[in-house]
Amino acid sequence: MKTATALSVGLLAALGFGGTAAAQNTLEEVVVTATKRSTSLQDIAGGASVIGGDDVGPGGIENVRDMAAAVPNLSIGDQFGFARVFMRGIGMTSIDIGGEGSVSFLQDGAIIPRPAAQLVGMFDLEQVEVLRGPQGTLYGRGATAGAINLVTAKPGDEFGGYLTATGGNYGLMTFQGAVDLPLRDAWALRLATKIEERDGYGENIFSGEDVDDRSAQAYRGTLAYDGDGAVSGALSFQYYEEDDRNFAFHYFGPSQGTAGGLPPAVPVLGGRTIFDVGGDFYDINSDQEALNERDGYLANLLLDFELSDRMSLRSVTSLQDLDRFLRDDLDSTDADLFGRNDYTEQSESFGQEFTLNVDGDRMDLLAGVMYFEEELYGQVLVPLNNICFLLAPATCGTPIGDGLNSGRYEQNGDVDITAYAAYAEVTWDLSDALTLIAGVRYNYEEREGTGTFRFDAAGLDVNTDQDADWDDVTPRVTLQYRPDDNMMLYATYNQAFKSGVINTGSISPPLDPETVDAWEVGIKGSSGDGTFTYGLIGFWYDYQDLQVSTFINNLTLTTNAAEATIYGMEGEVVARPLPALEVGLAFSLLDAEYDEFSDRLGNNPDGTPRVLDLSGNRMPNAPEMKSTLHASYMHSFGDGSSLILSGRYMYQSRVYFSQFNENDVAQASIGLFDASLSWASADGLWEVTLAGRNLTDEDYFHTGVRFTSTSDADRDPLGIGSALGYPAAGRSWGLNIQRSF
């Protein structure tokens, strides 16, 4: 039986304490591999969560964004078709091609560099491992906020598998399946797929077409060898493609300080927003259809060498490709106005890492080297249709106006990335109760960009060729103390480094790296009988040179504009008082504000810089409070079959999507309730699950963006005056039937 409880049994693991045993009164141990050694979750000196593979699928964690409801201090949205992942207030703030997040995203230990590629791969997984907090020693270049590792299911040594079909509202139809095929001489093959079709959550009133629909498919084949000898390994190849109208821009309303919404010229063209024509929360009214087309592959080779009883070596080799096109309507009206955005991205990357583990009597060593290279191409193209109505209405219909209207805004270029690193970490048992962990990593990264930036309305057509390189050393020191077998206390200091950035075709100069100094203390423990686990963590960060994007004068500018102090607390409790009952609570408190942040908003009439001091503003995607309560109850019938009822309630306080802390580019506090009812046959071969999400039908956004200044006096003269964003799904339900064999 692959999933006995969507949303129930593995939610315990999602909260960070392990899975459940359906017929037992104890909590199972969960092993984490994202630490680059096999480590019990309860032994990790830091914030960590594991989502079991049984909970990845219909009724459970169906996509990357769903993880946010189950993991403390994790916030995930999508914007321009890429993942915006935040941990403890730090994450993906750039909207340029070339920008990268602050959370290292991996599959089977291999870096997935492009945020757009991080939205795929959530199928047929063994587990998802989340390390909260800087991972400077283990992962380096992009792990100032943490790391997420998708561990794919590997072939078994017996024939077997499962088939799953799901139907639900919005015309949802999903098929998933996997099969293990044992081969000769310790070889085995696993084939897995996920095919998803869904109608749109809303409608484009202008055209009558669906928006935010889903048409996607993914396939993975894994060939594994395990001869119980000195060498084992797995070669996997994953292909995915999407072709739908997902990731449509939705109009929030006029940005703060713009009394009339769009500029006065827009009504001349008959441009109307969704508020003018009426419609549902999920509808848009745009002359441009939202388009999402992407495909790519990920090939991973894992090789494990047992060099001796106490020494092992792991090799991770990865080859990846991403090709995507996205179109949306920046002005969000039914007028053919400057605002259609064509977004093209292509990436090819190669990664290689070797990790050595040595187990000693009282001292263990972990050491490694890594190499990574990527060839990235990006184009952002905005035809300046009818821009004469905004710049010079009197010229419309004349050669001058026609010249303005035939122009374009375009960022077009390549960025070549090369990175390498070496690291070592020692774990030393100073006594039976006290352990010291000390590590250090050297990071080097270089980027070379070639391209052009063109904005005909402003008379700009410039070369953007530039290159830069950076290096850094990031240390870690941790003390762990175990007063007894059921309690562990720890204190950690570490540094982390996020690489500098060159965006494709951008006039922004190379960005310096982000750096963080982090202190963390915590306690983890369990009851002696294994029916109760708990954890409490406190942390304090000092961030320097945060990379932040601003849209001003119709230009996207990303700068090292900010310093921040972040501190907070996380707590988790899970109890299994009865074999049939499990309850859990996770919460996080976060104070994340800019210490220093002066954002340039163009120039004053006299030519001097116009600067807005944002010091003291709350950081984007950093709610002050988040809590999740879950419970599940299982009833066993006399014939051995079982029925499981489970539910989860998540509360999140207000979230700002912009550094300007505007209420119209924010999400007010929300409470979301999910529930499921699952029946499993006595032999474990059949399972039927009815699951519902957002059962109270809350209307809310998971991310947003703004395209103007913050007041009429400071407002950009070409700004379209719009707050735009992406709504999350309303009430949804699905019936899932699974047959295992």
Side-chain angles (χ1 to χ4, degrees):
M1 178 175 64
K2 183 177 184 293
T3 62
T5 71
L7 285 175
S8 59
V9 170
L11 271 177
L12 174 61
L15 291 173
F17 294 102
T20 61
Q24 301 177 6
N25 201 32
T26 59
L27 305 177
E28 294 180 354
E29 181 183 43
V30 174
V31 175
V32 178
T33 61
T35 57
K36 304 198 176 183
R37 56 167 70 91
S38 295
T39 308
S40 171
L41 186 61
Q42 285 295 87
D43 291 333
I44 295 176
S49 302
V50 173
I51 301 172
D54 287 350
D55 296 288
V56 179
I61 307 299
E62 299 185 44
N63 54 58
V64 169
R65 196 168 66 237
D66 292 340
M67 292 192 296
V71 179
N73 264 328
L74 176 64
S75 174
I76 302 179
D78 52 61
Q79 181 173 295
F80 290 107
F82 59 75
R84 286 171 54 88
V85 184
F86 288 77
M87 287 187 189
R88 296 176 175 175
I90 297 296
M92 180 71 183
T93 57
S94 173
I95 60 176
D96 259 326
I97 299 177
E100 296 171 355
S102 301
V103 177
S104 186
F105 209 99
L106 311 112
Q107 184 163 309
D108 290 328
I111 296 171
I112 302 177
R114 289 298 103 213
Q118 296 168 4
L119 294 174
V120 300
M122 291 290 289
F123 71 103
D124 196 45
L125 299 179
E126 180 179 319
Q127 61 187 31
V128 181
E129 304 168 342
V130 182
L131 302 180
R132 303 190 300 276
Q135 305 295 318
T137 303
L138 295 180
Y139 291 107
R141 65 192 299 270
T144 47
I148 296 175
N149 185 35
L150 309 183
V151 182
T152 63
K154 304 303 187 295
D157 55 8
E158 296 181 359
F159 175 79
Y162 66 93
L163 297 173
T164 299
T166 304
N169 62 338
Y170 298 108
L172 174 66
M173 294 184 294
T174 300
F175 171 82
Q176 295 188 63
V179 59
D180 288 337
L181 301 171
L183 305 176
R184 297 178 56 186
D185 301 325
W187 292 87
L189 177 67
R190 185 177 181 91
L191 302 175
T193 186
K194 179 181 180 180
I195 301 172
E196 185 178 4
E197 298 287 337
R198 191 199 68 233
D199 296 338
Y201 293 132
E203 177 187 353
N204 185 348
I205 302 298
F206 176 78
S207 66
E209 298 288 344
D210 279 5
V211 294
D212 298 324
D213 62 335
R214 179 78 168 160
S215 180
Q217 49 190 302
Y219 309 90
R220 184 189 303 129
T222 304
L223 179 65
Y225 173 80
D226 187 359
D228 294 327
V231 180
S232 61
L235 173 64
S236 66
F237 182 86
Q238 176 177 306
Y239 172 80
Y240 58 88
E241 64 178 40
E242 301 174 9
D243 187 359
D244 49 39
R245 293 182 174 87
N246 211 344
F247 310 114
F249 255 144
H250 291 251
Y251 183 58
F252 280 23
S255 291
Q256 186 179 39
T258 59
L262 296 173
V266 175
V268 175
L269 298 177
R272 299 172 299 170
T273 71
I274 188 64
F275 296 127
D276 297 318
V277 300
D280 188 79
F281 175 75
Y282 301 95
D283 295 337
I284 65 174
N285 189 55
S286 296
D287 66 296
Q288 299 294 327
E289 296 290 358
L291 298 178
N292 170 53
E293 302 169 357
R294 77 181 72 197
D295 61 76
Y297 66 80
L298 168 61
N300 276 358
L301 175 62
L302 307 180
L303 294 174
D304 289 304
F305 303 90
E306 294 295 331
L307 305 180
S308 70
D309 292 342
R310 294 192 171 188
M311 185 181 301
S312 63
L313 177 69
R314 164 162 281 202
S315 169
V316 180
T317 308
S318 176
L319 186 65
Q320 300 180 48
D321 179 89
L322 168 70
D323 192 344
R324 76 183 183 106
F325 174 80
L326 183 81
R327 174 174 292 171
D328 48 40
D329 189 6
L330 296 180
D331 65 77
S332 295
T333 75
D334 55 12
D336 184 14
L337 177 70
F338 162 66
R340 189 190 94 198
N341 181 41
D342 290 348
Y343 201 97
T344 302
E345 182 177 14
Q346 298 171 354
S347 167
E348 295 181 357
S349 63
F350 169 80
Q352 175 64 58
E353 183 167 11
F354 295 101
T355 304
L356 178 70
N357 272 287
V358 180
D359 297 330
D361 291 331
R362 301 191 68 88
M363 182 181 293
D364 300 334
L365 170 67
L366 183 152
V369 293
M370 66 81 66
Y371 173 82
F372 175 81
E373 65 178 23
E374 180 181 14
E375 295 180 0
L376 175 65
Y377 168 77
Q379 181 193 44
V380 179
L381 175 62
V382 182
L384 302 183
N385 296 342
N386 292 315
I387 198 173
C388 69
F389 285 96
L390 295 177
L391 298 181
T395 68
C396 294
T398 70
I400 295 177
D402 293 342
L404 288 173
N405 294 338
S406 64
R408 63 174 56 187
Y409 172 103
E410 182 180 12
Q411 294 178 225
N412 192 322
D414 298 274
V415 177
D416 293 335
I417 303 170
T418 302
Y420 56 81
Y423 56 92
E425 189 172 88
V426 173
T427 302
W428 183 12
D429 292 331
L430 303 177
S431 68
D432 291 341
L434 188 63
T435 299
L436 170 68
I437 303 174
V440 65
R441 182 184 183 107
Y442 171 75
N443 309 275
Y444 175 83
E445 181 136 355
E446 63 181 22
R447 302 194 179 204
E448 181 178 351
T450 58
T452 59
F453 175 85
R454 176 178 171 182
F455 189 15
D456 293 329
L460 294 175
D461 190 354
V462 298
N463 183 283
T464 61
D465 294 359
Q466 51 189 336
D467 60 79
D469 61 81
W470 310 270
D471 63 352
D472 197 19
V473 176
T474 52
R476 173 197 177 186
V477 179
T478 298
L479 279 175
Q480 289 178 285
Y481 176 66
R482 293 185 173 277
D484 56 52
D485 292 339
N486 300 315
M487 181 182 295
M488 186 265 287
L489 299 92
Y490 70 89
T492 292
Y493 166 76
N494 72 78
Q495 293 181 354
F497 154 92
K498 177 186 174 184
S499 171
V501 172
I502 293 177
N503 294 312
T504 59
S506 173
I507 61 175
S508 296
L511 301 179
D512 291 332
E514 290 183 6
T515 59
V516 59
D517 290 89
W519 289 259
E520 184 172 318
V521 295
I523 180 173
K524 294 183 177 182
S526 62
S527 59
D529 60 3
T531 62
F532 177 81
T533 58
Y534 63 90
L536 186 65
I537 295 171
F539 55 89
W540 188 90
Y541 297 164
D542 181 15
Y543 263 92
Q544 303 290 326
D545 291 326
L546 283 165
Q547 301 164 1
V548 183
S549 287
T550 302
F551 187 89
I552 187 66
N553 293 330
N554 287 289
L555 307 178
T556 301
L557 303 176
T558 307
T559 60
N560 294 105
E563 299 179 3
T565 299
I566 300 173
Y567 58 90
M569 177 183 296
E570 298 167 354
E572 301 173 293
V573 176
V574 177
R576 195 170 181 84
L578 300 171
L581 178 64
E582 174 190 304
V583 293
L585 172 67
F587 73 90
S588 56
L589 303 174
L590 184 65
D591 188 291
E593 296 182 350
Y594 295 112
D595 294 335
E596 298 179 15
F597 189 179
S598 295
D599 205 354
R600 179 170 175 172
L601 302 177
N603 296 321
N604 293 308
D606 62 2
T608 59
R610 181 186 303 157
V611 177
L612 183 65
D613 185 3
L614 302 179
S615 302
N617 277 17
R618 191 160 188 86
M619 300 174 69
N621 293 83
E624 291 184 0
M625 180 180 179
K626 179 181 171 183
S627 60
T628 301
L629 174 67
H630 88 269
S632 64
Y633 179 81
M634 181 178 69
H635 175 75
S636 297
F637 297 100
D639 62 357
S641 63
S642 59
L643 192 68
I644 299 177
L645 176 65
S646 65
R648 175 178 62 192
Y649 178 79
M650 190 274 288
Y651 170 82
Q652 178 178 281
S653 61
R654 173 178 291 274
V655 172
Y656 292 106
F657 299 134
S658 157
Q659 62 264 37
F660 300 101
N661 285 192
E662 299 153 307
N663 289 328
D664 48 18
V665 191
Q667 175 57 54
S669 60
I670 56 172
L672 303 176
F673 176 63
D674 304 334
S676 69
L677 181 65
S678 181
W679 173 85
S681 63
D683 56 11
L685 298 181
W686 287 96
E687 179 184 341
V688 180
T689 300
L690 178 63
R693 288 185 171 277
N694 190 7
L695 293 177
T696 56
D697 201 22
E698 298 288 332
D699 292 340
Y700 70 102
F701 290 90
H702 58 77
T703 191
V705 65
R706 39 113 49 220
F707 287 99
T708 63
S709 304
T710 58
S711 70
D712 285 336
D714 292 336
R715 187 179 147 216
D716 170 65
L718 301 182
I720 59 176
S722 297
L724 307 172
Y726 302 87
R731 182 188 294 117
S732 61
W733 59 266
L735 179 65
N736 177 67
I737 301 175
Q738 179 171 291
R739 176 67 164 91
S740 300
F741 55 91

